[in-house]
Amino acid sequence: MWAYVVRRLLVTIPTVLAVVTLCYVLLHLTPGGPFDAERKVSDAVLANLQAKYHLDLPLWKQYLYYLRDLLHGDLGASFRYADWSVNDLVARALPVSLAIGGTSMAVAAILGVALGITAALRQNSAVDIGVMLVANIGSVLPSFVLGPVLVLVFAIMLPLLPSGGWDDFAPRYMILPIALLTLINVSTIGRIMRGSLIEVLSSNFIRTARAKGLPMRVVVLRHALRPALLPVVSIIGPLAISSITSAIVTESWFSIPGLGKLIVNGASDRDYTLVLGLVVLVTVMAVLLNLLVDLAYAWLDPKIRY
Amino acid sequence: MSASLPIADTAHAGRSPWRDARVRFMRHRAAVASVFILALVALACVVGPMLLPNAYDSVDWNLMSAPPTRAGWHLFGTDELGRDLLVRTLIGGRISLAVGLLATLVSVTIGVVWGAVAGFAGGRVDSVMMRIVDMAYAVPYLLIAILVVTVFGRDILLVVAAIAAFSWLDMARVVRGQTLSIKSREFVEAARAIGVPTWRIIFQHVVPNLMGVVVIYTSIVVPGVILSESVLSFLGLGVQEPMTSWGVLIHDGAAVMGAAPWMILFPAAALSITLYCANFIGDGLRDALDPKDR
Amino acid sequence: MTTRHKPSLARALAAFAVAAAAGAAVHAAVIPPGTVLAARQEMVRNNGSEPESLDPAYIESVPAGEIDRDLFEGLTSTDHHSNVVPGVAESWKQVDPTTWVFKLRKNATWSNGTPVTAEDFVWSWRRFLDPKTAAKIATTYAVYLANGMEVVNGKKPVTALGVRAIDAQTLEVKTAGPVPFLPAVVSVAQYGPQPRAIVEKFGKDWTKPGNIVSNGAYVLKDWQVNSKVVVEKNPAYWDAANVQLTRVTFLCVEDGNADLKLYQSGEEDYLYQLPPGSYSSLKAQYPREIHNGPLLGLRFYALNNQDPLLKDVRVRKALSMVIDRNILSEKVTADGQAPLYGLAVKGLAAIQQTRYDWADWPMDKRVAEARRLLAEAGVKPGTKLRFTYNNSDYHKKMAIFAASEWKTKLGLDTEMDSLEFKVLIRKRHDGDYQIARHGWVVTFNDATLFLALLQCGSEVNDQRSCNRKADELIEQGNAATDPARREALLTQAAKLAMDDYPVIPLLQYSVPRLIKPWVGGYDEANGMDRYRSKDFYILKH
């Protein structure tokens, strides 16, 4: 088991390298560069600008410079946010996104699992349909509809919460964005939980357990839940990643200084270093999270071996 | 059972597994209702615009942002350019449904195959395939979309491709997880023991048992795909004016929710109904195709 | 809209008058007598986007400029009526057509106590235009100073730049050719002073709170990227007595709807820009808080004059004639923007507005004439037009309108191409377009900034149009010492160039905004839309 973990962690390095290389190439292929502005730039200034960022060197040389800096933990200087280094920007935005995305994932996981179990146990009844209707709100309405509705109700009509903004992790600014992300994620988790549990409940070993006369609750919690959680756990990895790094609609709507905003602005401004830095971050996070998920598989289904 | 050998006896109507599936599906009332509703929506989108008098792109500068009214068949009102919303919602439905279907199909196929092969093969192959998935997660979706469109030009098929290119990842992960679990079950060991070729095991034994999760997950992919399409169109990478889609209509409507709520109400309702139906049908199909419920 | 002085003579005279009135007047928040101020003088205003930098040499965007003008005060400044007022310089004089002398005030200091001297400006301007600093916008501002272009192109050393400190309080500026509006030019944030010792000590990090030192009315207290910039009153500022606001928070919300929600829930006092299409309903909802004044900006469509279809001036004229700008203004955009039939916008200095003669014809007559022109030029109905714009609901709406005008009135089909802003700029620069959406807003108030759009070979002339006679008139105008004559020449030049129909002028930008009723100091007639925080104050509420 530990050998497996170590192997996976080591594989992170080539993975990051491969992704960075790919994105590097893509960024330079995309039309428009970081220095395109409405007014023309003099050649001398442009030359100096490019020299400053090593852009006057052949692509492969730039790449090597970047890698060298990367190995020292230096993600480079940002073009778009000229006074800040990418390290600075990421270090400030990451905790924000983690707080919002991470909390919403935790809440959504608990709620989603609970709702899914409820629906599965009363399959095809009114309860099942009702629970699924509610759980699915987050998946049938896009976030750019739900967001405004949440704000309308809780910030404008009932002035309970601010409609956006950020103040150093003050809870009142975090509630609505977390609520939005939770609503969206709960539906996915709930549906998978329901479907998966229904399947497991009709399997042989469950029938055996019930035939033995065990009460339903015990059957579910002790025997059925673990294997049923497998697909749910599969999905938590990707959902967590996207909640933390791609919550762009949530972040713009609620004016939250998180990673999503950096990524989108970086891409549209062709801020090479910023985008690459974020890509490195997301890759590392994805690898780690997926590792955790795979380890969870082994715990949930003892027959899975690595 | 008759005492003689069980030869295929065509005189008796046998119980085909499909019939069983259909019966189980019918038990899921919401799913059944959803099939009808969805069919209605699809029909309206395809046929409706041909029957209605307004064109989806005719601007009427005197009737901008008008609320729903019987006059001129503006039953859903008009948008800020005076274009009829009823027709635009239906036309938009065509795009959303088509893109949704196509992109889902492509991404599900890729995802299932990828995940099943990775999960079943295990070891080095699994590792490499899943690391590729990890890598694909890290690539900024926006960047690829911009690049693809700028290099290859704008095309609705491109939208489908761009969306599918990122939607198969989740499916692959889910499928791989399930496969890992299935592959260690007795019937798979049995099949291996008697020498059934691997590809046969995957496609004839593993995949059918994945169907439940795949079907559920597919009906999760569908809304995601339709919404992705709206984001792309907004960025100028998808559907171009004057053509529209539900995503674009909702996005435009969200901006003026306070002043002209009908602009978001109708397309959002259409989208929600469709997606709810898709979800329920998905749940129903899962119940129907459950191999253990026999 | 309030009436304004005719931009020409009166303004020029006013500028000279101010220059002569050696700093006796106080230029800050002019508070009407009897106004009761609130005890807490703090304001939260949305600034539209995250600043790309706070280093005067590197800023380019308007939002960054807004913050920097609070932190760094230049020789001159622009107040909330968009008038040029004394800043660090208390007076100035144009001693000959290309030489100006600025007298700096003795009590101007940096926030760490050191005095602001003429040498500071010499060093700062040299740094700004030094190609080694690699300031992108240096090229745009270098044209005005003697040897400016040579320095920025690396042909001459920075010491050749036309700026010299005669003594600690006297600065001599030499311009490249006569620049009658130099005081306006040096009021921009990029020509502000930079604290040499701090810049050299901290390098790239000099603008961070704790390191930064400023000479303006405010100092930087906190800077959270993508969240807020907080500035606090600078006690060392020479005019601190007239600065009311003690603390200003700049937000960077780009989305109009999010901005509106923040305003409605009381999280901000000053909304940057209304969501498109919401003006009429918000006007009805907040009659006391809504403001809408004209901006010195032009919305227009650039026409690629080299394009095979658009080469013929008759085609360009026809396309321009049939667009009903009244409907565009009243119904399509519906936010108080004035229709335009010429290059100059209302309030622009040193030029009169011109108007095409057909602007007052009934639409039928215009359409008939346009059709005739097209037929003459051999363009048949069904011909395809290609229109490029950057993706935004606002521009999309206008584009759809234009396309429908061209379709219904001229039978031309328009293919619409929505692009990202960066890609649009590139394509426009490279001439890779047929008709493209364009907008032009001035950074200081003078007609030459608009005329640059049409000058032959100008780097902002994306149309690749050229009218030599008009260019000559512009040169003559800039050489004229009499403001009236200058205005006449520039107006003539504009008319001449526009008669070639290089672009399709549409509307003058306006600034629809919501501001809480307790904020004082806002002036709707401020065509530049630049506000220093020292011009605002909070009324008791």
Side-chain angles (χ1 to χ4, degrees):
Chain A
M1 177 63 92
W2 288 113
Y4 177 71
V5 173
V6 170
R7 249 185 301 136
R8 281 288 290 272
L9 286 174
L10 284 176
V11 162
T12 314
I13 300 169
T15 312
V16 170
L17 269 174
V19 180
V20 167
T21 312
L22 177 67
C23 284
Y24 194 85
V25 171
L26 283 172
L27 272 167
H28 284 95
L29 280 178
T30 322
F35 303 135
D36 285 350
E38 283 228 63
R39 298 162 212 248
K40 235 341 235 270
V41 180
S42 90
D43 292 334
V45 168
L46 196 60
N48 278 299
L49 209 47
Q50 297 190 317
K52 197 168 157 186
Y53 291 100
H54 296 306
L55 288 175
D56 49 347
L57 299 170
L59 220 56
W60 63 268
K61 241 191 181 161
Q62 288 182 44
Y63 179 61
L64 288 175
Y65 263 111
Y66 184 76
L67 284 183
R68 183 203 62 186
D69 291 337
L70 189 61
L71 285 171
H72 287 109
D74 177 10
L75 295 170
S78 164
F79 296 130
R80 162 69 178 88
Y81 304 98
D83 293 359
W84 301 88
S85 67
V86 176
N87 289 52
D88 274 335
L89 293 171
V90 169
R92 280 156 176 266
L94 181 61
V96 176
S97 287
L98 273 177
I100 304 278
T103 316
S104 81
M105 266 320 294
V107 175
I110 297 172
L111 266 181
V113 165
L115 287 173
I117 294 177
T118 316
L121 289 179
R122 298 200 191 353
Q123 187 182 356
N124 286 339
S125 71
V127 174
D128 180 12
I129 297 178
V131 165
M132 281 297 108
L133 258 172
V134 168
N136 281 330
I137 290 177
S139 84
V140 304
L141 284 177
S143 48
F144 46 81
V145 170
L146 280 177
V149 169
L150 278 177
V151 167
L152 197 66
V153 173
F154 293 105
I156 311 231
M157 282 167 38
L158 313 165
L160 295 170
L161 293 166
S163 69
W166 185 257
D167 190 16
D168 220 9
F169 298 96
R172 68 181 196 282
Y173 290 103
M174 290 172 50
I175 294 179
L176 284 182
I178 291 179
L180 180 60
L181 279 177
T182 307
L183 263 176
I184 294 172
N185 289 328
V186 108
S187 120
T188 308
I189 296 178
R191 294 192 55 225
I192 294 209
M193 183 76 243
R194 173 193 178 276
S196 171
L197 187 58
I198 289 178
E199 231 181 282
V200 168
L201 283 176
S202 53
S203 64
N204 291 329
F205 76 97
I206 294 296
R207 280 191 232 234
T208 317
R210 297 193 53 193
K212 284 207 279 193
L214 289 173
M216 195 55 172
R217 225 177 85 236
V218 173
V219 168
V220 168
L221 288 178
R222 202 182 295 172
H223 297 282
L225 202 53
R226 264 197 184 184
L229 278 176
L230 210 71
V232 174
V233 157
S234 301
I235 208 59
I236 284 189
L239 274 183
I241 296 276
S242 75
S243 297
I244 293 173
T245 62
S246 315
I248 181 60
V249 175
T250 310
E251 285 179 17
S252 348
W253 183 252
F254 290 105
S255 310
I256 292 178
L259 292 174
K261 204 152 200 207
L262 286 180
I263 283 189
V264 170
N265 282 349
S268 51
D269 287 316
R270 310 290 190 271
D271 191 343
Y272 300 146
T273 33
L274 181 59
V275 174
L276 286 175
L278 289 166
V279 164
V280 167
L281 179 71
V282 173
T283 312
V284 170
M285 280 173 59
V287 167
L288 288 176
L289 260 164
N290 287 329
L291 175 58
L292 285 173
V293 165
D294 286 349
L295 291 177
Y297 286 162
W299 176 67
L300 291 172
D301 186 343
K303 287 206 235 99
I304 294 179
R305 284 269 171 278
Y306 291 117
Chain B
M1 290 296 275
S2 69
S4 52
L5 287 169
I7 304 162
D9 187 350
T10 50
H12 293 277
R15 273 190 67 185
S16 95
W18 292 115
R19 193 170 145 238
D20 283 351
R22 195 161 34 100
V23 168
R24 280 196 296 271
F25 186 84
M26 298 295 205
R27 264 193 255 144
H28 195 303
R29 289 169 287 165
V32 172
S34 298
V35 171
F36 283 114
I37 298 177
L38 206 53
L40 227 73
V41 170
L43 195 68
C45 290
V46 171
V47 170
M50 301 192 253
L51 300 175
L52 288 166
N54 297 307
Y56 74 94
D57 58 351
S58 55
V59 297
D60 184 353
W61 303 107
N62 294 312
L63 242 139
M64 286 160 49
S65 290
T69 163
R70 299 258 302 274
W73 279 91
H74 292 306
L75 298 170
F76 283 5
T78 61
D79 69 6
E80 23 174 46
L81 286 167
R83 296 180 293 193
D84 178 45
L85 265 180
L86 174 55
V87 166
R88 282 180 73 71
T89 307
L90 296 178
I91 287 268
R94 288 187 193 173
I95 299 284
S96 293
L97 290 173
V99 169
L101 222 62
L102 212 55
T104 305
L105 224 71
V106 172
S107 78
V108 166
T109 313
I110 302 178
V112 169
V113 170
W114 192 279
V117 168
F120 197 80
R124 188 86 57 85
V125 175
D126 175 24
S127 200
V128 168
M129 288 179 83
M130 290 328 279
R131 294 301 72 75
I132 294 180
V133 170
D134 284 349
M135 277 162 36
Y137 267 122
V139 175
Y141 166 52
L142 201 62
L143 209 58
I144 309 288
I146 295 172
L147 183 68
V148 163
V149 171
T150 343
V151 171
F152 297 109
R154 192 163 303 112
D155 188 355
I156 196 69
L157 284 178
L158 266 183
V159 176
V160 172
I163 297 174
F166 284 88
S167 314
W168 68 266
L169 299 172
D170 292 350
M171 179 66 84
R173 278 206 66 80
V174 172
V175 165
R176 177 218 175 228
Q178 269 316 70
T179 309
L180 279 180
S181 175
I182 293 174
K183 116 176 145 167
S184 49
R185 286 201 222 154
E186 301 83 14
F187 69 90
V188 172
E189 286 186 32
R192 266 207 264 214
I194 62 177
V196 178
T198 312
W199 69 267
R200 244 224 183 127
I201 298 183
I202 295 182
F203 287 107
Q204 283 191 350
H205 295 282
V206 173
V207 168
N209 280 288
L210 287 172
M211 270 311 144
V213 166
V214 169
V215 160
I216 292 274
Y217 205 72
T218 303
S219 54
I220 286 177
V221 166
V222 170
V225 160
I226 296 183
L227 293 177
S228 299
E229 180 271 312
S230 82
V231 173
L232 285 181
S233 294
F234 171 68
L235 290 175
L237 304 171
V239 190
Q240 271 295 24
E241 279 290 336
M243 186 47 77
T244 183
S245 70
W246 282 339
V248 172
L249 287 171
I250 293 175
H251 181 275
D252 290 347
V256 291
M257 240 189 343
W262 58 90
M263 278 186 64
I264 194 177
L265 205 65
F266 294 106
L271 181 67
S272 311
I273 292 174
T274 305
L275 294 179
Y276 265 123
C277 290
N279 285 350
F280 281 127
I281 292 177
D283 291 349
L285 280 176
R286 195 225 59 81
D287 293 354
L289 297 175
D290 188 346
K292 266 174 263 94
D293 219 352
R294 286 194 177 122
Chain C
M1 269 178 266
T2 55
T3 51
R4 307 198 57 220
H5 292 296
K6 253 166 62 94
S8 53
L9 200 58
R11 173 172 300 285
L13 287 179
F16 287 131
V18 159
V26 148
H27 299 279
V30 173
I31 305 176
T35 314
V36 183
L37 295 179
R40 200 160 151 268
Q41 291 288 318
E42 291 180 10
M43 183 173 162
V44 178
R45 63 187 272 211
N46 186 20
N47 201 19
S49 74
E50 170 68 21
E52 60 277 10
S53 172
L54 287 183
D55 182 334
Y58 292 118
I59 61 176
E60 294 169 51
S61 68
V62 171
E66 281 293 87
I67 300 178
D68 257 8
R69 281 162 0 100
D70 277 347
L71 298 174
F72 303 104
E73 191 180 51
L75 291 171
T76 57
S77 198
T78 345
D79 69 4
H80 54 300
H81 302 303
S82 56
N83 292 329
V84 173
V85 297
V88 173
E90 48 184 19
S91 68
W92 51 87
K93 207 156 58 150
Q94 185 176 14
V95 297
D96 68 48
T98 56
T99 314
W100 296 71
V101 173
F102 290 84
K103 274 247 166 277
L104 276 51
R105 62 187 77 242
K106 292 197 174 45
N107 56 345
T109 49
W110 293 97
S111 54
N112 62 359
T114 41
V116 178
T117 63
E119 193 51 50
D120 283 332
F121 283 92
V122 174
W123 184 82
S124 303
W125 292 11
R126 285 182 180 169
R127 176 174 179 257
F128 175 42
L129 297 179
D130 187 348
K132 285 208 224 36
T133 310
K136 277 195 275 173
I137 206 167
T139 319
T140 316
Y141 288 106
V143 292
Y144 301 106
L145 297 183
N147 288 328
M149 289 311 285
E150 290 83 346
V151 167
V152 107
N153 282 320
K155 303 274 184 355
K156 285 200 179 149
V158 283
T159 42
L161 193 62
V163 60
R164 185 168 78 96
I166 296 181
D167 62 51
Q169 254 77 50
T170 316
L171 188 73
E172 180 195 74
V173 179
K174 284 203 173 292
T175 58
V179 180
F181 47 90
L182 186 72
V185 174
V186 299
S187 73
V188 302
Q190 286 86 350
Y191 273 124
Q194 299 144 40
R196 178 176 190 164
I198 304 292
V199 175
E200 287 174 345
K201 180 171 171 193
F202 292 107
K204 203 178 86 149
D205 286 325
W206 80 268
T207 53
K208 304 278 160 60
N211 298 345
I212 191 173
V213 160
S214 47
N215 76 320
Y218 292 88
V219 288
L220 182 67
K221 183 76 174 18
D222 190 15
W223 185 6
Q224 296 187 27
V225 178
N226 281 332
S227 182
K228 60 175 98 161
V229 173
V230 182
V231 300
E232 282 187 349
K233 183 167 164 176
N234 177 6
Y237 180 57
W238 63 268
D239 200 26
N242 288 307
V243 175
Q244 309 304 327
L245 294 180
T246 53
R247 191 182 158 100
V248 180
T249 306
F250 292 91
L251 301 179
C252 53
V253 178
E254 291 177 26
D255 178 49
N257 279 298
D259 198 3
L260 181 61
K261 293 292 171 278
L262 286 172
Y263 182 85
Q264 287 173 322
S265 69
E267 295 282 317
E268 68 179 33
D269 302 307
Y270 180 110
L271 182 131
Y272 190 67
Q273 207 147 61
L274 296 187
S278 61
Y279 179 67
S280 23
S281 62
L282 286 174
K283 184 166 172 198
Q285 208 182 338
Y286 299 101
R288 275 180 67 212
E289 298 167 46
I290 195 95
H291 295 270
N292 197 2
L295 186 67
L296 292 176
L298 169 68
R299 283 196 199 278
F300 65 103
Y301 288 155
L303 299 171
N304 187 348
N305 286 211
Q306 305 297 324
D307 179 86
L309 179 67
L310 299 179
K311 259 184 138 114
D312 191 329
V313 63
R314 292 171 294 195
V315 178
R316 303 198 296 265
K317 182 171 177 182
L319 290 177
S320 185
M321 285 179 83
V322 299
I323 296 189
D324 190 335
R325 291 156 177 81
N326 287 331
I327 295 189
L328 188 63
S329 158
E330 287 158 34
K331 300 233 170 112
V332 179
T333 52
D335 51 9
Q337 295 183 73
L340 279 179
Y341 301 91
L343 180 71
V345 296
K346 186 156 173 211
L348 188 60
I351 197 171
Q352 299 259 29
Q353 279 191 290
T354 58
R355 206 174 151 85
Y356 288 125
D357 53 354
W358 47 260
D360 296 312
W361 294 358
M363 184 48 79
D364 300 334
K365 190 168 172 205
R366 278 157 67 169
V367 174
E369 172 68 9
R371 288 201 185 144
R372 191 186 65 81
L373 287 168
L374 276 189
E376 250 183 47
V379 174
K380 301 201 182 15
T383 311
K384 279 210 175 312
L385 295 172
R386 195 162 53 98
F387 183 86
T388 322
Y389 65 105
N390 53 308
N391 48 43
S392 127
D393 293 335
Y394 199 87
H395 299 133
K396 191 169 85 169
K397 219 162 138 180
M398 287 178 63
I400 294 180
F401 175 71
S404 102
E405 292 283 77
W406 290 327
K407 173 100 183 259
T408 49
K409 294 177 180 166
L410 298 176
L412 302 170
D413 286 318
T414 315
E415 192 189 284
M416 313 254 273
D417 220 4
S418 133
L419 302 170
E420 263 189 295
F421 189 53
K422 263 191 186 283
V423 185
L424 173 72
I425 302 179
R426 226 308 136 108
K427 290 202 176 222
R428 248 182 10 215
H429 271 333
D430 296 343
D432 181 10
Y433 73 98
Q434 196 181 52
I435 307 175
R437 180 245 135 211
H438 205 332
W440 195 247
V441 180
V442 297
T443 46
F444 56 84
N445 191 352
D446 190 83
T448 43
L449 287 181
F450 266 69
L451 290 167
L453 283 173
L454 303 180
Q455 280 177 287
C456 305
S458 151
E459 63 198 22
V460 291
N461 182 343
D462 288 339
Q463 302 83 240
R464 291 155 161 69
S465 61
C466 185
N467 185 319
R468 300 247 169 251
K469 189 86 179 57
D471 274 19
E472 264 176 45
L473 288 172
I474 295 175
E475 269 188 53
Q476 287 175 25
N478 280 332
T481 43
D482 173 22
R485 178 158 166 69
R486 177 161 189 258
E487 181 180 295
L489 284 167
L490 293 182
T491 308
Q492 213 183 335
K495 180 144 188 15
L496 209 58
M498 286 301 278
D499 280 342
D500 275 349
Y501 295 90
V503 299
I504 303 182
L506 294 167
L507 300 168
Q508 174 168 4
Y509 278 88
S510 71
V511 191
R513 196 163 269 166
L514 279 173
I515 304 181
K516 295 287 182 191
W518 52 79
V519 173
Y522 192 77
D523 183 359
E524 262 182 42
N526 180 351
M528 298 276 300
D529 193 31
R530 304 269 197 273
Y531 289 94
R532 303 172 302 177
S533 295
K534 78 185 249 193
D535 292 319
F536 286 126
Y537 51 93
I538 306 292
L539 300 161
K540 192 159 153 94
H541 65 279

